[in-house]
PDB file of all heavy atoms in Angstrom:
ATOM      1  N   VAL P  63      20.268   8.422  16.488  1.00 98.00           N
ATOM      2  CA  VAL P  63      21.294   7.376  16.204  1.00 98.00           C
ATOM      3  C   VAL P  63      20.970   6.225  17.113  1.00 98.00           C
ATOM      4  O   VAL P  63      20.618   6.343  18.118  1.00 98.00           O
ATOM      5  CB  VAL P  63      22.856   7.829  16.388  1.00 98.00           C
ATOM      6  CG1 VAL P  63      23.741   6.626  16.357  1.00 98.00           C
ATOM      7  CG2 VAL P  63      23.202   8.802  15.185  1.00 98.00           C
ATOM      8  N   LEU P  64      21.009   4.995  16.578  1.00 98.00           N
ATOM      9  CA  LEU P  64      20.853   3.696  17.386  1.00 98.00           C
ATOM     10  C   LEU P  64      21.941   3.525  18.388  1.00 98.00           C
ATOM     11  O   LEU P  64      23.163   3.650  18.072  1.00 98.00           O
ATOM     12  CB  LEU P  64      20.851   2.513  16.396  1.00 98.00           C
ATOM     13  CG  LEU P  64      20.494   1.052  17.133  1.00 98.00           C
ATOM     14  CD1 LEU P  64      19.201   1.138  17.805  1.00 98.00           C
ATOM     15  CD2 LEU P  64      20.647  -0.060  16.209  1.00 98.00           C
ATOM     16  N   LEU P  65      21.492   3.477  19.601  1.00 98.00           N
ATOM     17  CA  LEU P  65      22.566   3.394  20.679  1.00 98.00           C
ATOM     18  C   LEU P  65      22.705   1.814  21.115  1.00 98.00           C
ATOM     19  O   LEU P  65      23.916   1.479  21.492  1.00 98.00           O
ATOM     20  CB  LEU P  65      22.019   4.153  21.951  1.00 98.00           C
ATOM     21  CG  LEU P  65      21.796   5.604  21.797  1.00 98.00           C
ATOM     22  CD1 LEU P  65      21.166   6.165  23.090  1.00 98.00           C
ATOM     23  CD2 LEU P  65      23.212   6.233  21.622  1.00 98.00           C
ATOM     24  N   GLY P  66      21.787   1.116  20.874  1.00 98.00           N
ATOM     25  CA  GLY P  66      21.841  -0.290  21.313  1.00 98.00           C
ATOM     26  C   GLY P  66      20.562  -1.053  21.245  1.00 98.00           C
ATOM     27  O   GLY P  66      19.431  -0.443  20.917  1.00 98.00           O
ATOM     28  N   GLY P  67      20.544  -2.268  21.524  1.00 98.00           N
ATOM     29  CA  GLY P  67      19.258  -3.078  21.576  1.00 98.00           C
ATOM     30  C   GLY P  67      19.446  -4.359  22.240  1.00 98.00           C
ATOM     31  O   GLY P  67      20.495  -4.870  22.650  1.00 98.00           O
ATOM     32  N   HIS P  68      18.264  -4.950  22.496  1.00 98.00           N
ATOM     33  CA  HIS P  68      18.200  -6.361  23.162  1.00 98.00           C
ATOM     34  C   HIS P  68      17.374  -7.125  22.309  1.00 98.00           C
ATOM     35  O   HIS P  68      16.299  -6.630  21.879  1.00 98.00           O
ATOM     36  CB  HIS P  68      17.565  -6.130  24.591  1.00 98.00           C
ATOM     37  CG  HIS P  68      18.426  -5.254  25.474  1.00 98.00           C
ATOM     38  ND1 HIS P  68      19.328  -5.770  26.302  1.00 98.00           N
ATOM     39  CD2 HIS P  68      18.304  -4.015  25.744  1.00 98.00           C
ATOM     40  CE1 HIS P  68      19.881  -4.763  27.152  1.00 98.00           C
ATOM     41  NE2 HIS P  68      19.273  -3.549  26.682  1.00 98.00           N
ATOM     42  N   ILE P  69      17.674  -8.373  22.198  1.00 98.00           N
ATOM     43  CA  ILE P  69      16.699  -9.219  21.563  1.00 98.00           C
ATOM     44  C   ILE P  69      16.698 -10.596  22.312  1.00 98.00           C
ATOM     45  O   ILE P  69      17.782 -11.187  22.695  1.00 98.00           O
ATOM     46  CB  ILE P  69      16.990  -9.644  20.201  1.00 98.00           C
ATOM     47  CG1 ILE P  69      17.290  -8.331  19.317  1.00 98.00           C
ATOM     48  CG2 ILE P  69      16.093 -10.595  19.540  1.00 98.00           C
ATOM     49  CD1 ILE P  69      17.771  -8.575  17.891  1.00 98.00           C
ATOM     50  N   VAL P  70      15.468 -11.036  22.855  1.00 98.00           N
ATOM     51  CA  VAL P  70      15.348 -12.230  23.427  1.00 98.00           C
ATOM     52  C   VAL P  70      14.334 -13.149  22.707  1.00 98.00           C
ATOM     53  O   VAL P  70      13.273 -12.581  22.398  1.00 98.00           O
ATOM     54  CB  VAL P  70      14.777 -12.028  24.815  1.00 98.00           C
ATOM     55  CG1 VAL P  70      14.439 -13.302  25.699  1.00 98.00           C
ATOM     56  CG2 VAL P  70      15.762 -11.172  25.689  1.00 98.00           C
ATOM     57  N   GLY P  71      14.680 -14.319  22.441  1.00 97.00           N
ATOM     58  CA  GLY P  71      13.812 -15.249  21.728  1.00 97.00           C
ATOM     59  C   GLY P  71      14.467 -16.027  20.512  1.00 97.00           C
ATOM     60  O   GLY P  71      15.732 -15.865  20.337  1.00 97.00           O
ATOM     61  N   ALA P  72      13.664 -16.629  19.781  1.00 95.00           N
ATOM     62  CA  ALA P  72      14.249 -17.473  18.601  1.00 95.00           C
ATOM     63  C   ALA P  72      15.021 -16.545  17.704  1.00 95.00           C
ATOM     64  O   ALA P  72      14.670 -15.421  17.406  1.00 95.00           O
ATOM     65  CB  ALA P  72      12.953 -18.149  17.845  1.00 95.00           C
ATOM     66  N   GLU P  73      16.131 -17.125  17.239  1.00 96.00           N
ATOM     67  CA  GLU P  73      17.060 -16.405  16.293  1.00 96.00           C
ATOM     68  C   GLU P  73      17.668 -15.168  16.744  1.00 96.00           C
ATOM     69  O   GLU P  73      18.057 -14.380  16.012  1.00 96.00           O
ATOM     70  CB  GLU P  73      16.258 -16.281  14.914  1.00 96.00           C
ATOM     71  CG  GLU P  73      15.844 -17.498  14.345  1.00 96.00           C
ATOM     72  CD  GLU P  73      16.925 -18.511  13.925  1.00 96.00           C
ATOM     73  OE1 GLU P  73      18.012 -18.221  13.680  1.00 96.00           O
ATOM     74  OE2 GLU P  73      16.723 -19.703  14.050  1.00 96.00           O
ATOM     75  N   ALA P  74      17.562 -14.886  18.104  1.00 97.00           N
ATOM     76  CA  ALA P  74      18.169 -13.645  18.520  1.00 97.00           C
ATOM     77  C   ALA P  74      19.567 -13.515  18.340  1.00 97.00           C
ATOM     78  O   ALA P  74      20.080 -12.332  18.073  1.00 97.00           O
ATOM     79  CB  ALA P  74      17.826 -13.598  20.169  1.00 97.00           C
ATOM     80  N   ALA P  75      20.339 -14.527  18.433  1.00 97.00           N
ATOM     81  CA  ALA P  75      21.803 -14.604  18.160  1.00 97.00           C
ATOM     82  C   ALA P  75      22.072 -14.106  16.607  1.00 97.00           C
ATOM     83  O   ALA P  75      23.087 -13.488  16.451  1.00 97.00           O
ATOM     84  CB  ALA P  75      22.525 -15.869  18.628  1.00 97.00           C
ATOM     85  N   THR P  76      21.268 -14.400  15.895  1.00 96.00           N
ATOM     86  CA  THR P  76      21.437 -14.170  14.394  1.00 96.00           C
ATOM     87  C   THR P  76      20.929 -12.694  14.203  1.00 96.00           C
ATOM     88  O   THR P  76      21.607 -11.884  13.524  1.00 96.00           O
ATOM     89  CB  THR P  76      20.662 -15.166  13.536  1.00 96.00           C
ATOM     90  OG1 THR P  76      21.179 -16.379  13.752  1.00 96.00           O
ATOM     91  CG2 THR P  76      20.883 -14.831  12.113  1.00 96.00           C
ATOM     92  N   MET P  77      19.793 -12.377  14.670  1.00 97.00           N
ATOM     93  CA  MET P  77      19.206 -11.023  14.511  1.00 97.00           C
ATOM     94  C   MET P  77      19.934  -9.930  15.090  1.00 97.00           C
ATOM     95  O   MET P  77      19.880  -8.838  14.475  1.00 97.00           O
ATOM     96  CB  MET P  77      17.649 -10.993  14.953  1.00 97.00           C
ATOM     97  CG  MET P  77      16.856 -11.804  13.942  1.00 97.00           C
ATOM     98  SD  MET P  77      15.141 -11.472  14.325  1.00 97.00           S
ATOM     99  CE  MET P  77      14.871 -11.511  16.070  1.00 97.00           C
ATOM    100  N   ILE P  78      20.643 -10.197  16.188  1.00 98.00           N
ATOM    101  CA  ILE P  78      21.457  -9.131  16.809  1.00 98.00           C
ATOM    102  C   ILE P  78      22.485  -8.609  16.027  1.00 98.00           C
ATOM    103  O   ILE P  78      22.995  -7.340  16.030  1.00 98.00           O
ATOM    104  CB  ILE P  78      21.963  -9.483  18.195  1.00 98.00           C
ATOM    105  CG1 ILE P  78      22.238  -8.322  19.075  1.00 98.00           C
ATOM    106  CG2 ILE P  78      23.049 -10.546  17.977  1.00 98.00           C
ATOM    107  CD1 ILE P  78      21.236  -7.544  19.528  1.00 98.00           C
ATOM    108  N   HIS P  79      22.911  -9.327  14.991  1.00 97.00           N
ATOM    109  CA  HIS P  79      23.903  -8.756  14.035  1.00 97.00           C
ATOM    110  C   HIS P  79      23.448  -7.589  13.165  1.00 97.00           C
ATOM    111  O   HIS P  79      24.125  -6.755  12.803  1.00 97.00           O
ATOM    112  CB  HIS P  79      24.384  -9.992  13.097  1.00 97.00           C
ATOM    113  CG  HIS P  79      25.304 -10.868  13.730  1.00 97.00           C
ATOM    114  ND1 HIS P  79      24.913 -12.091  14.460  1.00 97.00           N
ATOM    115  CD2 HIS P  79      26.666 -10.894  14.005  1.00 97.00           C
ATOM    116  CE1 HIS P  79      25.854 -12.588  15.149  1.00 97.00           C
ATOM    117  NE2 HIS P  79      27.062 -11.827  14.795  1.00 97.00           N
ATOM    118  N   MET P  80      22.140  -7.617  12.899  1.00 97.00           N
ATOM    119  CA  MET P  80      21.467  -6.497  12.289  1.00 97.00           C
ATOM    120  C   MET P  80      21.614  -5.248  13.180  1.00 97.00           C
ATOM    121  O   MET P  80      22.103  -4.122  12.596  1.00 97.00           O
ATOM    122  CB  MET P  80      20.037  -6.604  12.000  1.00 97.00           C
ATOM    123  CG  MET P  80      19.705  -7.489  10.987  1.00 97.00           C
ATOM    124  SD  MET P  80      17.845  -7.875  10.730  1.00 97.00           S
ATOM    125  CE  MET P  80      17.510  -6.163  10.041  1.00 97.00           C
ATOM    126  N   VAL P  81      21.438  -5.417  14.428  1.00 98.00           N
ATOM    127  CA  VAL P  81      21.617  -4.235  15.280  1.00 98.00           C
ATOM    128  C   VAL P  81      22.976  -3.757  15.461  1.00 98.00           C
ATOM    129  O   VAL P  81      23.420  -2.554  15.433  1.00 98.00           O
ATOM    130  CB  VAL P  81      21.076  -4.688  16.776  1.00 98.00           C
ATOM    131  CG1 VAL P  81      21.329  -3.521  17.835  1.00 98.00           C
ATOM    132  CG2 VAL P  81      19.623  -4.936  16.644  1.00 98.00           C
ATOM    133  N   ILE P  82      23.964  -4.799  15.585  1.00 98.00           N
ATOM    134  CA  ILE P  82      25.483  -4.556  15.541  1.00 98.00           C
ATOM    135  C   ILE P  82      25.932  -3.841  14.240  1.00 98.00           C
ATOM    136  O   ILE P  82      26.641  -2.831  14.385  1.00 98.00           O
ATOM    137  CB  ILE P  82      26.165  -5.727  15.679  1.00 98.00           C
ATOM    138  CG1 ILE P  82      25.898  -6.496  17.081  1.00 98.00           C
ATOM    139  CG2 ILE P  82      27.683  -5.505  15.590  1.00 98.00           C
ATOM    140  CD1 ILE P  82      26.522  -7.747  17.215  1.00 98.00           C
ATOM    141  N   ALA P  83      25.426  -4.070  13.184  1.00 98.00           N
ATOM    142  CA  ALA P  83      25.744  -3.471  11.876  1.00 98.00           C
ATOM    143  C   ALA P  83      25.108  -2.090  11.848  1.00 98.00           C
ATOM    144  O   ALA P  83      25.908  -1.099  11.412  1.00 98.00           O
ATOM    145  CB  ALA P  83      25.181  -4.282  10.627  1.00 98.00           C
ATOM    146  N   TYR P  84      23.873  -1.882  12.196  1.00 98.00           N
ATOM    147  CA  TYR P  84      23.383  -0.628  12.358  1.00 98.00           C
ATOM    148  C   TYR P  84      24.192   0.344  13.199  1.00 98.00           C
ATOM    149  O   TYR P  84      24.421   1.477  12.928  1.00 98.00           O
ATOM    150  CB  TYR P  84      21.973  -0.569  12.783  1.00 98.00           C
ATOM    151  CG  TYR P  84      20.935  -1.081  11.832  1.00 98.00           C
ATOM    152  CD1 TYR P  84      19.966  -1.892  12.115  1.00 98.00           C
ATOM    153  CD2 TYR P  84      20.987  -0.528  10.526  1.00 98.00           C
ATOM    154  CE1 TYR P  84      18.944  -2.366  11.308  1.00 98.00           C
ATOM    155  CE2 TYR P  84      19.993  -0.982   9.557  1.00 98.00           C
ATOM    156  CZ  TYR P  84      18.909  -1.840  10.000  1.00 98.00           C
ATOM    157  OH  TYR P  84      17.991  -2.291   9.092  1.00 98.00           O
ATOM    158  N   MET P  85      24.544  -0.270  14.359  1.00 98.00           N
ATOM    159  CA  MET P  85      25.388   0.592  15.351  1.00 98.00           C
ATOM    160  C   MET P  85      26.776   1.019  14.762  1.00 98.00           C
ATOM    161  O   MET P  85      27.184   2.111  14.785  1.00 98.00           O
ATOM    162  CB  MET P  85      25.584  -0.148  16.703  1.00 98.00           C
ATOM    163  CG  MET P  85      24.320  -0.227  17.591  1.00 98.00           C
ATOM    164  SD  MET P  85      24.295  -1.295  18.839  1.00 98.00           S
ATOM    165  CE  MET P  85      25.532  -0.424  19.791  1.00 98.00           C
ATOM    166  N   LYS P  86      27.340   0.001  14.087  1.00 98.00           N
ATOM    167  CA  LYS P  86      28.681   0.333  13.487  1.00 98.00           C
ATOM    168  C   LYS P  86      28.584   1.414  12.419  1.00 98.00           C
ATOM    169  O   LYS P  86      29.455   2.198  12.352  1.00 98.00           O
ATOM    170  CB  LYS P  86      29.204  -1.038  12.840  1.00 98.00           C
ATOM    171  CG  LYS P  86      30.460  -0.902  12.149  1.00 98.00           C
ATOM    172  CD  LYS P  86      31.597  -1.002  13.160  1.00 98.00           C
ATOM    173  CE  LYS P  86      32.986  -0.971  12.353  1.00 98.00           C
ATOM    174  NZ  LYS P  86      33.996  -0.372  13.112  1.00 98.00           N
ATOM    175  N   MET P  87      27.416   1.524  11.673  1.00 98.00           N
ATOM    176  CA  MET P  87      27.240   2.361  10.659  1.00 98.00           C
ATOM    177  C   MET P  87      26.733   3.676  11.180  1.00 98.00           C
ATOM    178  O   MET P  87      26.493   4.666  10.463  1.00 98.00           O
ATOM    179  CB  MET P  87      26.187   1.868   9.637  1.00 98.00           C
ATOM    180  CG  MET P  87      26.517   0.602   8.960  1.00 98.00           C
ATOM    181  SD  MET P  87      25.003  -0.046   8.160  1.00 98.00           S
ATOM    182  CE  MET P  87      24.116   1.226   7.570  1.00 98.00           C
ATOM    183  N   LYS P  88      26.624   3.655  12.548  1.00 98.00           N
ATOM    184  CA  LYS P  88      25.921   4.911  13.145  1.00 98.00           C
ATOM    185  C   LYS P  88      24.554   5.151  12.583  1.00 98.00           C
ATOM    186  O   LYS P  88      24.141   6.507  12.193  1.00 98.00           O
ATOM    187  CB  LYS P  88      26.826   6.055  13.219  1.00 98.00           C
ATOM    188  CG  LYS P  88      28.115   5.923  13.953  1.00 98.00           C
ATOM    189  CD  LYS P  88      28.930   7.167  13.957  1.00 98.00           C
ATOM    190  CE  LYS P  88      30.221   6.889  14.750  1.00 98.00           C
ATOM    191  NZ  LYS P  88      30.645   5.724  15.521  1.00 98.00           N
ATOM    192  N   ALA P  89      23.763   4.235  12.314  1.00 98.00           N
ATOM    193  CA  ALA P  89      22.515   4.351  11.606  1.00 98.00           C
ATOM    194  C   ALA P  89      21.409   5.072  12.450  1.00 98.00           C
ATOM    195  O   ALA P  89      21.520   4.847  13.741  1.00 98.00           O
ATOM    196  CB  ALA P  89      21.943   3.000  11.168  1.00 98.00           C
ATOM    197  N   THR P  90      20.598   5.923  11.878  1.00 98.00           N
ATOM    198  CA  THR P  90      19.546   6.502  12.568  1.00 98.00           C
ATOM    199  C   THR P  90      18.298   5.794  12.515  1.00 98.00           C
ATOM    200  O   THR P  90      18.245   4.878  11.752  1.00 98.00           O
ATOM    201  CB  THR P  90      19.349   7.947  12.099  1.00 98.00           C
ATOM    202  OG1 THR P  90      18.761   7.721  10.746  1.00 98.00           O
ATOM    203  CG2 THR P  90      20.543   8.701  12.059  1.00 98.00           C
ATOM    204  N   LEU P  91      17.378   6.211  13.234  1.00 97.00           N
ATOM    205  CA  LEU P  91      16.009   5.654  13.219  1.00 97.00           C
ATOM    206  C   LEU P  91      15.452   5.563  11.840  1.00 97.00           C
ATOM    207  O   LEU P  91      14.843   4.700  11.284  1.00 97.00           O
ATOM    208  CB  LEU P  91      15.112   6.368  14.145  1.00 97.00           C
ATOM    209  CG  LEU P  91      13.688   5.974  14.555  1.00 97.00           C
ATOM    210  CD1 LEU P  91      13.459   6.288  16.024  1.00 97.00           C
ATOM    211  CD2 LEU P  91      12.765   6.529  13.674  1.00 97.00           C
ATOM    212  N   PHE P  92      15.768   6.671  11.048  1.00 97.00           N
ATOM    213  CA  PHE P  92      15.189   6.817   9.781  1.00 97.00           C
ATOM    214  C   PHE P  92      16.011   5.886   8.746  1.00 97.00           C
ATOM    215  O   PHE P  92      15.295   5.386   7.786  1.00 97.00           O
ATOM    216  CB  PHE P  92      15.405   8.294   9.264  1.00 97.00           C
ATOM    217  CG  PHE P  92      14.538   9.159  10.324  1.00 97.00           C
ATOM    218  CD1 PHE P  92      15.399  10.092  11.160  1.00 97.00           C
ATOM    219  CD2 PHE P  92      13.342   9.127  10.306  1.00 97.00           C
ATOM    220  CE1 PHE P  92      14.647  10.804  12.056  1.00 97.00           C
ATOM    221  CE2 PHE P  92      12.519  10.047  11.205  1.00 97.00           C
ATOM    222  CZ  PHE P  92      13.288  10.829  12.121  1.00 97.00           C
ATOM    223  N   ASP P  93      17.291   5.552   9.054  1.00 97.00           N
ATOM    224  CA  ASP P  93      17.994   4.638   8.156  1.00 97.00           C
ATOM    225  C   ASP P  93      17.299   3.369   8.329  1.00 97.00           C
ATOM    226  O   ASP P  93      17.178   2.568   7.397  1.00 97.00           O
ATOM    227  CB  ASP P  93      19.447   4.508   8.576  1.00 97.00           C
ATOM    228  CG  ASP P  93      20.205   5.819   8.313  1.00 97.00           C
ATOM    229  OD1 ASP P  93      19.959   6.518   7.312  1.00 97.00           O
ATOM    230  OD2 ASP P  93      21.022   6.127   9.208  1.00 97.00           O
ATOM    231  N   ILE P  94      16.975   2.888   9.535  1.00 97.00           N
ATOM    232  CA  ILE P  94      16.414   1.622   9.836  1.00 97.00           C
ATOM    233  C   ILE P  94      15.009   1.470   9.191  1.00 97.00           C
ATOM    234  O   ILE P  94      14.640   0.568   8.623  1.00 97.00           O
ATOM    235  CB  ILE P  94      16.349   1.307  11.449  1.00 97.00           C
ATOM    236  CG1 ILE P  94      17.904   1.225  11.865  1.00 97.00           C
ATOM    237  CG2 ILE P  94      15.659   0.050  11.640  1.00 97.00           C
ATOM    238  CD1 ILE P  94      17.965   1.240  13.381  1.00 97.00           C
ATOM    239  N   LYS P  95      14.351   2.668   9.192  1.00 95.00           N
ATOM    240  CA  LYS P  95      12.933   2.815   8.574  1.00 95.00           C
ATOM    241  C   LYS P  95      13.068   2.458   6.992  1.00 95.00           C
ATOM    242  O   LYS P  95      12.245   1.867   6.513  1.00 95.00           O
ATOM    243  CB  LYS P  95      12.385   4.187   8.772  1.00 95.00           C
ATOM    244  CG  LYS P  95      11.070   4.364   8.095  1.00 95.00           C
ATOM    245  CD  LYS P  95      10.555   5.619   8.419  1.00 95.00           C
ATOM    246  CE  LYS P  95       9.114   5.846   7.725  1.00 95.00           C
ATOM    247  NZ  LYS P  95       8.926   7.356   7.618  1.00 95.00           N
ATOM    248  N   ASP P  96      14.237   2.898   6.423  1.00 97.00           N
ATOM    249  CA  ASP P  96      14.324   2.793   4.953  1.00 97.00           C
ATOM    250  C   ASP P  96      14.832   1.384   4.551  1.00 97.00           C
ATOM    251  O   ASP P  96      14.961   1.185   3.396  1.00 97.00           O
ATOM    252  CB  ASP P  96      15.213   3.856   4.400  1.00 97.00           C
ATOM    253  CG  ASP P  96      14.494   5.214   4.504  1.00 97.00           C
ATOM    254  OD1 ASP P  96      13.463   5.412   4.564  1.00 97.00           O
ATOM    255  OD2 ASP P  96      15.342   6.294   4.588  1.00 97.00           O
ATOM    256  N   THR P  97      15.047   0.486   5.576  1.00 96.00           N
ATOM    257  CA  THR P  97      15.531  -0.743   5.208  1.00 96.00           C
ATOM    258  C   THR P  97      14.373  -1.621   4.624  1.00 96.00           C
ATOM    259  O   THR P  97      13.352  -1.341   4.997  1.00 96.00           O
ATOM    260  CB  THR P  97      16.200  -1.416   6.477  1.00 96.00           C
ATOM    261  OG1 THR P  97      17.246  -0.694   6.904  1.00 96.00           O
ATOM    262  CG2 THR P  97      16.628  -2.851   6.229  1.00 96.00           C
ATOM    263  N   ILE P  98      14.679  -2.488   3.714  1.00 96.00           N
ATOM    264  CA  ILE P  98      13.806  -3.450   3.222  1.00 96.00           C
ATOM    265  C   ILE P  98      13.687  -4.689   4.105  1.00 96.00           C
ATOM    266  O   ILE P  98      14.854  -5.190   4.169  1.00 96.00           O
ATOM    267  CB  ILE P  98      14.063  -3.628   1.763  1.00 96.00           C
ATOM    268  CG1 ILE P  98      13.827  -2.463   0.971  1.00 96.00           C
ATOM    269  CG2 ILE P  98      13.028  -4.807   1.225  1.00 96.00           C
ATOM    270  CD1 ILE P  98      14.243  -2.636  -0.530  1.00 96.00           C
ATOM    271  N   TYR P  99      12.778  -5.129   4.470  1.00 95.00           N
ATOM    272  CA  TYR P  99      12.535  -6.327   5.292  1.00 95.00           C
ATOM    273  C   TYR P  99      11.855  -7.474   4.518  1.00 95.00           C
ATOM    274  O   TYR P  99      10.864  -7.177   3.991  1.00 95.00           O
ATOM    275  CB  TYR P  99      11.833  -5.981   6.719  1.00 95.00           C
ATOM    276  CG  TYR P  99      12.713  -5.025   7.546  1.00 95.00           C
ATOM    277  CD1 TYR P  99      12.480  -3.654   7.286  1.00 95.00           C
ATOM    278  CD2 TYR P  99      13.424  -5.417   8.528  1.00 95.00           C
ATOM    279  CE1 TYR P  99      13.227  -2.769   8.082  1.00 95.00           C
ATOM    280  CE2 TYR P  99      14.189  -4.607   9.284  1.00 95.00           C
ATOM    281  CZ  TYR P  99      14.122  -3.185   9.075  1.00 95.00           C
ATOM    282  OH  TYR P  99      14.796  -2.283   9.722  1.00 95.00           O
ATOM    283  N   ILE P 100      12.360  -8.592   4.693  1.00 94.00           N
ATOM    284  CA  ILE P 100      11.726  -9.811   4.149  1.00 94.00           C
ATOM    285  C   ILE P 100      10.490 -10.175   4.926  1.00 94.00           C
ATOM    286  O   ILE P 100      10.412 -10.000   6.192  1.00 94.00           O
ATOM    287  CB  ILE P 100      12.664 -10.927   4.243  1.00 94.00           C
ATOM    288  CG1 ILE P 100      13.969 -10.701   3.534  1.00 94.00           C
ATOM    289  CG2 ILE P 100      12.027 -12.309   3.618  1.00 94.00           C
ATOM    290  CD1 ILE P 100      13.895 -10.247   2.040  1.00 94.00           C
ATOM    291  N   HIS P 101       9.361 -10.530   4.373  1.00 95.00           N
ATOM    292  CA  HIS P 101       8.185 -10.882   4.957  1.00 95.00           C
ATOM    293  C   HIS P 101       7.619 -12.221   4.446  1.00 95.00           C
ATOM    294  O   HIS P 101       7.543 -12.446   3.273  1.00 95.00           O
ATOM    295  CB  HIS P 101       7.108  -9.823   4.594  1.00 95.00           C
ATOM    296  CG  HIS P 101       5.700 -10.097   5.060  1.00 95.00           C
ATOM    297  ND1 HIS P 101       5.423  -9.937   6.249  1.00 95.00           N
ATOM    298  CD2 HIS P 101       4.728 -10.651   4.472  1.00 95.00           C
ATOM    299  CE1 HIS P 101       4.118 -10.282   6.562  1.00 95.00           C
ATOM    300  NE2 HIS P 101       3.619 -10.675   5.330  1.00 95.00           N
ATOM    301  N   PRO P 102       7.307 -13.125   5.318  1.00 95.00           N
ATOM    302  CA  PRO P 102       7.435 -12.952   6.778  1.00 95.00           C
ATOM    303  C   PRO P 102       8.779 -13.483   7.289  1.00 95.00           C
ATOM    304  O   PRO P 102       9.334 -14.438   6.719  1.00 95.00           O
ATOM    305  CB  PRO P 102       6.312 -13.934   7.304  1.00 95.00           C
ATOM    306  CG  PRO P 102       6.263 -14.984   6.301  1.00 95.00           C
ATOM    307  CD  PRO P 102       6.557 -14.436   4.958  1.00 95.00           C
ATOM    308  N   ALA P 103       9.248 -12.819   8.206  1.00 96.00           N
ATOM    309  CA  ALA P 103      10.602 -13.238   8.776  1.00 96.00           C
ATOM    310  C   ALA P 103      10.786 -12.533  10.215  1.00 96.00           C
ATOM    311  O   ALA P 103      10.277 -11.431  10.380  1.00 96.00           O
ATOM    312  CB  ALA P 103      11.801 -12.851   7.889  1.00 96.00           C
TER     313      ALA P 103
END
């Protein structure tokens, strides 16, 4: 299960919401693996 994360850099304040949502869902490493990611982003 995802415990937390750190993001430093451009758009960090926006991207951290993905981490927060995953934590709220108690997502596992494998749940995050199964996510579809936009490319390039």
